[in-house]
Amino acid sequence: MTPGDLDTLISSIAVDPVAMILVGLALLVLVILIIGTFFGYFRVLLNIALFAYPVARVKAVGNPFVTRSQAEALAESGSFSEFLTVLMESGAGPQIPENTTLEGVEKILETWHYQEIQKMGASLPDAIRPFFSAYIGIFEGEQIIAALRSVYSAGIRPGAPAHIAEIGCITPALIDSIGESTDIKDLISRLQGTPYVAPLAAAFPEYEETSSIGPLESAVRLYVMKNLNASKGRVDPAVLPAVLAFTGVYADVTNILTLLRAKSRNLPLELVSLWLVPGGAYYEEWRLRQIYESARPADILRQLEGSEYFHVLEPLVQVPGSSIDLGACELTLDRYMLAKATGLSSVYHLTGGPLIKFAVSRKYEMRNLRIFFHTGFEMRTLEEALPNLVLQEAVS
């Protein structure tokens, strides 16, 4: 082949430089997409690996006291001592000496519940840790509300102070100090150093004006919900759907119960509006205010038609004008919350779902055991406790 022939061959296969650039860019985009897809899958696999141990642990520990089989086994106990034996043999509950007082049982159950959540938290990956740090605030806030109610009630009808458990910022020294409170203002001053003093101090003028503890309880719930909502921005996107699903339902249920309680006392809308927590899955605050304009609690429930909440609460709605059993509403919504948490465990079974289900179930396990103990201490048949329990089989 002569040099002329070689030049002719090269010229025949020459490519336009612009076309070469376009082909190069296309290849670069393809490589980036392949790498991005790979790292996307890698991130998913990494999250699954990080959640493998804590998920396996909570599944192994389980939540037996929200199952009907375990509840019936406890209910069939022929005596209180036999009940304690069945509880101990389950291997999953707290250790309670036979001669423990009811107040002592309350303390043991609260401590057991809190420690169980802490144990789970010790193995949590950073991807979901901010949510559970905020979640513990729910129970911390409940203790503050219990303290508020105890001091408030003492000024109206003196009685035994409420039991306050050691949770989060609530130390033994603070519990002793709370017990010495003379009134609400004094109690708030004793909460210095905790995150609750600021919201309570802000709500105190409204408490004085209305003589209702509602503004103070609402201030605590709003603070807790604010932290829960803030945690959504600090968790990994991979676990965010499960967190959003829980916090949304929790906010809705809290608001529905607020509306029902307030309507049963005929409180004004202007006041109730201040108590609504943000972040609901179905209902924004403007819609909740509309719902509250209903004449009666039963009418509030009817305004929920079209939502899952109406589906579970519908059996409680009687003929127009009839009263609504608030206790039955709370029990029904508790069962609904357990059902939702169980559903999350199935949908997000490799990451946050089982952890949320475990934590929510532990709360209701504590509640169920408390009901059993109260039934026993009141010398009633333990089977009488069954209709009041929150069980997985009790929801659909």
Side-chain angles (χ1 to χ4, degrees):
M1 179 181 291
T2 65
D5 294 334
L6 182 60
D7 290 341
T8 302
L9 177 63
I10 292 175
S11 64
S12 67
I13 62 173
V15 179
D16 185 353
V18 175
M20 287 289 290
I21 294 174
L22 291 175
V23 171
L25 288 174
L27 290 173
L28 179 61
V29 169
L30 180 62
V31 170
I32 291 174
L33 288 174
I34 292 173
I35 293 175
T37 302
F38 170 77
F39 277 107
Y41 282 119
F42 177 76
R43 186 181 184 87
V44 171
L45 293 174
L46 178 61
N47 270 320
I48 292 173
L50 291 173
F51 277 89
Y53 172 74
V55 166
R57 179 187 175 277
V58 298
K59 287 184 176 180
V61 172
N63 300 107
F65 305 117
V66 290
T67 64
R68 182 160 294 278
S69 59
Q70 185 64 62
E72 290 178 345
L74 291 170
E76 291 170 0
S77 303
S79 65
F80 197 54
S81 59
E82 184 181 337
F83 169 83
L84 291 175
T85 300
V86 175
L87 178 63
M88 181 182 66
E89 289 177 349
S90 72
Q95 298 299 309
I96 300 179
E98 189 169 345
N99 60 346
T100 307
T101 64
L102 183 57
E103 182 180 354
V105 168
E106 292 276 3
K107 182 175 182 179
I108 291 173
L109 288 176
E110 291 277 6
T111 302
W112 168 73
H113 173 223
Y114 181 53
Q115 289 178 344
E116 287 290 293
I117 303 301
Q118 280 190 314
K119 288 178 185 177
M120 182 189 71
S123 62
L124 288 177
D126 292 338
I128 201 170
R129 189 181 299 277
F131 164 73
F132 278 102
S133 296
Y135 177 80
I136 287 177
I138 294 176
F139 312 110
E140 190 179 74
E142 287 176 353
Q143 303 308 307
I144 297 295
I145 289 175
L148 289 166
R149 290 177 177 175
S150 180
V151 174
Y152 177 77
S153 298
I156 301 175
R157 48 184 185 280
H163 166 71
I164 310 299
E166 300 172 23
I167 294 178
C169 68
I170 305 172
T171 63
L174 180 58
I175 293 173
D176 291 340
S177 180
I178 289 173
E180 298 171 358
S181 302
T182 56
D183 55 31
I184 292 293
K185 185 175 183 179
D186 182 38
L187 170 61
I188 294 174
S189 70
R190 293 174 183 271
L191 294 175
Q192 288 292 341
T194 75
Y196 298 95
V197 67
L200 287 173
F204 184 75
E206 190 178 348
Y207 158 75
E208 285 191 307
E209 181 180 346
T210 61
S211 297
S212 168
I213 198 172
L216 299 176
E217 293 187 6
S218 175
V220 174
R221 293 192 183 99
L222 285 169
Y223 173 78
V224 170
M225 197 67 217
K226 177 183 176 182
N227 285 342
L228 274 175
N229 284 333
S231 74
K232 294 184 291 191
R234 299 196 297 269
V235 300
D236 190 278
V239 301
L240 182 58
V243 171
L244 285 174
F246 171 79
T247 55
V249 170
Y250 178 78
D252 279 340
V253 168
T254 299
N255 285 329
I256 290 170
L257 289 174
T258 295
L259 296 185
L260 292 172
R261 292 173 186 139
K263 182 58 68 173
S264 69
R265 297 168 57 191
N266 290 317
L267 298 177
L269 174 60
E270 295 75 16
L271 181 62
V272 178
S273 296
L274 302 174
W275 302 350
L276 301 176
V277 300
Y282 289 87
Y283 295 108
E284 296 183 17
E285 293 163 78
W286 67 267
R287 177 58 180 141
L288 292 166
R289 287 192 289 270
Q290 283 185 338
I291 292 174
Y292 189 70
E293 294 175 353
S294 304
R296 303 176 181 87
D299 298 324
I300 288 178
L301 295 187
R302 293 186 183 93
Q303 288 290 317
L304 303 177
E305 189 170 1
S307 71
E308 294 181 2
Y309 310 113
F310 181 76
H311 174 69
V312 297
L313 291 168
E314 186 177 9
L316 303 179
V317 180
Q318 306 298 324
V319 296
S322 64
S323 61
I324 291 292
D325 185 341
L326 292 181
C329 288
E330 291 185 22
L331 178 59
T332 299
L333 289 173
D334 280 340
R335 289 170 174 168
Y336 172 79
M337 284 294 302
L338 178 59
K340 292 299 289 186
T342 303
L344 291 177
S345 181
S346 299
V347 175
Y348 306 102
H349 60 283
L350 295 176
T351 52
L355 304 177
I356 293 174
K357 186 256 183 183
F358 176 82
V360 172
S361 297
R362 269 292 188 258
K363 173 186 176 181
Y364 293 125
E365 286 182 296
M366 178 184 66
R367 179 192 182 281
N368 290 345
L369 291 176
R370 178 183 283 128
I371 290 174
F372 270 122
F373 276 104
H374 276 269
T375 304
F377 272 90
E378 293 168 9
M379 305 299 290
R380 294 186 287 129
T381 306
L382 290 174
E383 289 183 348
E384 295 180 47
L386 288 176
N388 300 312
L389 303 182
V390 177
L391 302 174
Q392 289 177 4
E393 293 82 0
V395 289
S396 59

